[in-house]
Amino acid sequence: MTTHTTSTDMNTATDTPSPTGRLVGIPAPAARALATAGGALSLVSCFLAWTWTDAFPGDLTVYGYPGGLQWLVLVLGALTALFGLASYQVKGLRWLTPAGADPAIRLAALGAFVTAWYTVLAISLTLGGVVNLEPGGFVVAAATLIALLGALALPFERPKADPADPEDSGWDQFKHNAGQKWAVVKAAFATGPLAPAPKLPGYAEILLITAALAVGLGIFTYGIGTEYDELFIGFLVSAGFGFAALTKAGLIPRLGALTARHSNITTCAAFVAAAAFPFTQTNDRFANIGVNILIFATVALGLNIVVGLAGLLDLGYVAFLGVGAYAAALVSGSPSSPTGLHLPFWAAIIVGAIASMIFGVLIGAPTLRLRGDYLAIVTLGFGEIFRITVMNTDGTSGPDITNGSNGITSIPDLKILGFDLGAPHEIFGFTIGRFANYFFLMLLVTAVVVLVFRRSGNSRIGRAWVAIREDETAALAMGINGFRVKLVAFALGATLAGLAGAVQAHVTFVVTPEQYMFANSVPPNSAFLLAAVVMGGMGTIAGPLLGAALLYLIPTKLQFMGDYQLFAFGVALILIMRLRPEGIIADRRRKLEFHEDAEAPTVLGKTGA
């Protein structure tokens, strides 16, 4: 939690109180009124037609009922208006802004402006000019602009000026000036201290957590089910600004405190909410995205043990996923498997996990005495060696084991206790298709991985991992066997990846070497896995799960961008890492590292917050 910067902290060079600043020169009372009224008008405009023809996706021609992108502007406009009313200390709305209203108003208004103007421009470009806009389109453009101007005119404390060195070169002067302007922008969005939380009974806190998880499920379902490209881009913009606004208002930190207080209940409720996902889908194609997200997230959580807890930079981790997938495929009755074995599910998944664990020990034993970049290079080499090996074991360049580039195909569907996961089934009146069946299986595997992560992270060896990560030399001096501790982390992470790989082989029907490269446009691969851990939040449980969900969903939905897909994806990652370097869901230790003004807790909580 970042603390609000007071005028005492933000002095000028002469130690006098810094003046109140504004990004736009409008008096504060008028600015607050403009932001609130603009947000309300943005909400109302969503019930008007924005274009006259349904040729633009989403049918924005209806009066009285929002559609498509209008829903996104409606939500952000409502947030802007509510935060504006809360800034007036309106009774019943004060709880919306426990950390202050002004930064939240700015972000909500900016999100509504970007989404609305993106929609208006998309309509004009797609249909051939602004003549295709109905009055509602002009109203929403003006309303969001008014709200944004009012929000940017709200007062904030300017940071103290850092005098420039007269001997600096022109480039140094430019960097200094840019840094001063960026400091002003950051001060405008600075979060204040959280107001004391109201005392609530335990059942009320649990109901709040349940409601938040239900909202999260709805947002996730909406993002997966976006039917056209413009809607998904608008969804990303709206979700990003909405999350940032709720964080600046203090609602996300307040919710984080509640979930930490009821961690076991929150974990169980999260899995119940995830289990409800297939019942919200009418198309098994979206359930396919869901099961692949779970596979990616489970592997990312295993990597989080190696990178997030033990601090070992592994750039070839996807190879352990491949070892598990190939091992399970070889013994699952595939007609292209040279072994001819057809083991039951429980045996196949154990074979995949054990094979990955063995490879983890074999690779880790000679290499884990290395540190930092040297270890990263070795693990990167292992990933490439694995891919080249399975490519060459085709009976021509080497022994006939993996069929080379053709891979192992026609892997049969799993049958567990007579339940065929490849066939649709009726559950509570809902037809559950093949991918939904595998979704439930993968959800069970994810639950096992989460349990292993929590228990190991909070154990004695988990504390040893954290000690190694923070300062290996000091940890060794305190009597920790660094090599053994790191080898256990490497083997455990590999085992969890093999577990997910065994399921992946049956979901995709086929395993090929191209699926397990260091970097390509389709996750999972080592680069995306590492990005999911770092972006989501190293050392936590929810962070890699959320990061993996985003990093799988975004490339899947951005395929229409073709060659520019990875470029846009990279820009998004740079922005996230620049604005929130500790990750979306940050471990409290990392928050203290990246934010010097963060409030240090009396006792650092358990791993997996």
Side-chain angles (χ1 to χ4, degrees):
M1 180 185 70
T2 54
T3 55
H4 182 66
T5 308
T6 62
S7 59
T8 306
D9 300 322
M10 290 189 173
N11 296 336
T12 60
T14 58
D15 290 334
T16 58
S18 62
T20 299
R22 295 183 179 86
L23 297 177
V24 176
I26 300 176
R32 189 162 277 107
L34 278 177
T36 306
L41 185 58
S42 301
L43 187 154
V44 172
S45 68
C46 295
F47 293 88
L48 305 176
W50 289 5
T51 183
W52 63 274
T53 173
D54 59 2
F56 186 82
D59 193 4
L60 308 182
T61 65
V62 181
Y63 282 87
Y65 185 80
L69 287 157
Q70 289 175 325
W71 282 107
L72 305 177
V73 178
L74 185 150
V75 171
L76 290 170
L79 282 179
T80 305
L82 288 173
F83 289 147
L85 292 174
S87 69
Y88 285 106
Q89 300 295 310
V90 174
K91 187 176 181 180
L93 294 179
R94 298 175 187 174
W95 61 271
L96 279 173
T97 54
D102 290 354
I105 293 173
R106 293 188 187 95
L107 283 167
L110 181 59
F113 172 81
V114 172
T115 306
W117 280 71
Y118 160 74
T119 306
V120 168
L121 291 175
I123 291 173
S124 302
L125 293 174
T126 302
L127 302 181
V130 296
V131 68
N132 294 284
L133 294 175
E134 285 285 289
F138 295 103
V139 171
V140 72
T144 53
L145 179 59
I146 291 171
L148 180 62
L149 291 175
L152 295 180
L154 294 174
F156 63 92
E157 296 293 337
R158 286 185 176 272
K160 65 178 181 180
D162 184 15
D165 188 344
E167 297 182 359
D168 284 346
S169 64
W171 174 245
D172 291 333
Q173 290 281 358
F174 172 79
K175 290 193 297 182
H176 176 268
N177 294 335
Q180 295 285 16
K181 292 177 181 178
W182 176 245
V184 172
V185 174
K186 288 203 299 183
F189 292 93
T191 307
L194 278 177
K199 297 290 184 180
L200 295 175
Y203 72 87
E205 294 182 345
I206 294 173
L207 286 176
L208 287 175
I209 293 172
T210 303
L213 290 174
V215 172
L217 174 63
I219 294 173
F220 179 73
T221 302
Y222 186 91
I224 284 185
T226 48
E227 299 175 352
Y228 49 96
D229 304 333
E230 293 86 351
L231 181 59
F232 182 73
I233 294 177
F235 166 76
L236 285 182
V237 172
S238 303
F241 278 106
F243 180 83
L246 293 174
T247 301
K248 291 297 182 181
L251 293 178
I252 299 298
R254 181 66 53 80
L255 178 63
L258 290 180
T259 56
R261 195 176 306 154
H262 305 279
S263 59
N264 292 331
I265 293 176
T266 301
T267 302
C268 294
F271 278 101
V272 170
F277 168 72
F279 297 101
T280 66
Q281 303 300 309
T282 57
N283 190 334
D284 206 34
R285 176 171 61 92
F286 298 136
N288 179 26
I289 296 177
V291 70
N292 282 288
I293 286 176
L294 280 181
I295 292 172
F296 190 23
T298 302
V299 181
L301 197 56
L303 179 60
N304 196 25
I305 292 177
V306 180
V307 176
L309 294 184
L312 306 173
L313 184 55
D314 188 347
L315 298 182
Y317 188 76
V318 75
F320 296 124
L321 175 70
V323 170
Y326 267 97
L330 287 170
V331 299
S332 293
S334 169
S336 60
S337 170
T339 65
L341 295 175
H342 190 179
L343 301 181
F345 160 71
W346 61 268
I349 200 170
I350 289 176
V351 167
I354 292 178
S356 292
M357 180 186 68
I358 292 173
F359 271 83
V361 172
L362 291 177
I363 299 302
T367 61
L368 286 178
R369 300 187 188 278
L370 301 173
R371 298 188 189 181
D373 298 339
Y374 300 100
L375 177 62
I377 293 171
V378 170
T379 55
L380 177 61
F382 163 65
E384 288 302 297
I385 289 171
F386 167 77
R387 183 181 62 84
I388 294 171
T389 299
V390 296
M391 181 79 74
N392 290 330
T393 50
D394 57 354
T396 302
S397 303
D400 185 12
I401 300 176
T402 63
N403 295 328
S405 60
N406 295 323
I408 300 176
T409 60
S410 303
I411 301 171
D413 281 308
L414 291 172
K415 292 183 180 179
I416 304 175
L417 300 177
F419 188 88
D420 187 358
L421 272 67
H425 301 274
E426 290 285 335
I427 301 178
F428 304 123
F430 294 89
T431 301
I432 303 299
R434 176 181 184 271
F435 291 115
N437 294 331
Y438 279 104
F439 181 89
F440 289 123
L441 174 62
M442 199 60 221
L443 192 62
L444 180 62
V445 173
T446 304
V448 172
V449 173
V450 168
L451 179 63
V452 171
F453 184 92
R454 287 190 63 179
R455 299 298 295 175
S456 60
N458 294 331
S459 66
R460 180 178 180 179
I461 196 169
R463 293 191 292 272
W465 288 336
V466 173
I468 291 288
R469 182 192 70 192
E470 296 299 325
D471 192 327
E472 184 172 352
T473 302
L476 295 176
M478 295 302 294
I480 294 176
N481 189 328
F483 173 75
R484 185 179 65 185
V485 166
K486 291 190 291 185
L487 186 61
V488 171
F490 218 69
L492 182 57
T495 303
L496 299 181
L499 201 66
V503 178
Q504 184 203 33
H506 294 85
V507 172
T508 59
F509 289 122
V510 59
V511 287
T512 59
E514 291 77 13
Q515 292 175 293
Y516 309 106
M517 299 175 63
F518 169 73
N520 52 38
S521 60
V522 180
N525 55 64
S526 292
F528 275 64
L529 286 169
L530 185 60
V533 173
V534 175
M535 188 186 79
M538 292 197 298
T540 65
I541 292 176
L545 297 179
L546 178 60
L550 291 175
L551 292 190
Y552 186 89
L553 184 61
I554 293 174
T556 300
K557 292 289 187 176
L558 291 183
Q559 290 181 359
F560 69 94
M561 298 186 69
D563 295 338
Y564 295 98
Q565 175 186 346
L566 287 179
F567 172 77
F569 182 68
V571 170
L573 285 182
I574 291 172
L575 291 175
I576 292 175
M577 289 294 97
R578 181 64 183 87
L579 299 175
R580 197 171 176 84
E582 70 273 23
I584 299 175
I585 301 177
D587 178 72
R588 281 180 285 184
R589 290 185 179 90
R590 291 184 60 78
K591 186 177 290 187
L592 291 174
E593 292 176 11
F594 284 101
H595 301 281
E596 296 178 357
D597 56 348
E599 180 181 328
T602 305
V603 179
L604 289 174
K606 294 180 178 181
T607 302

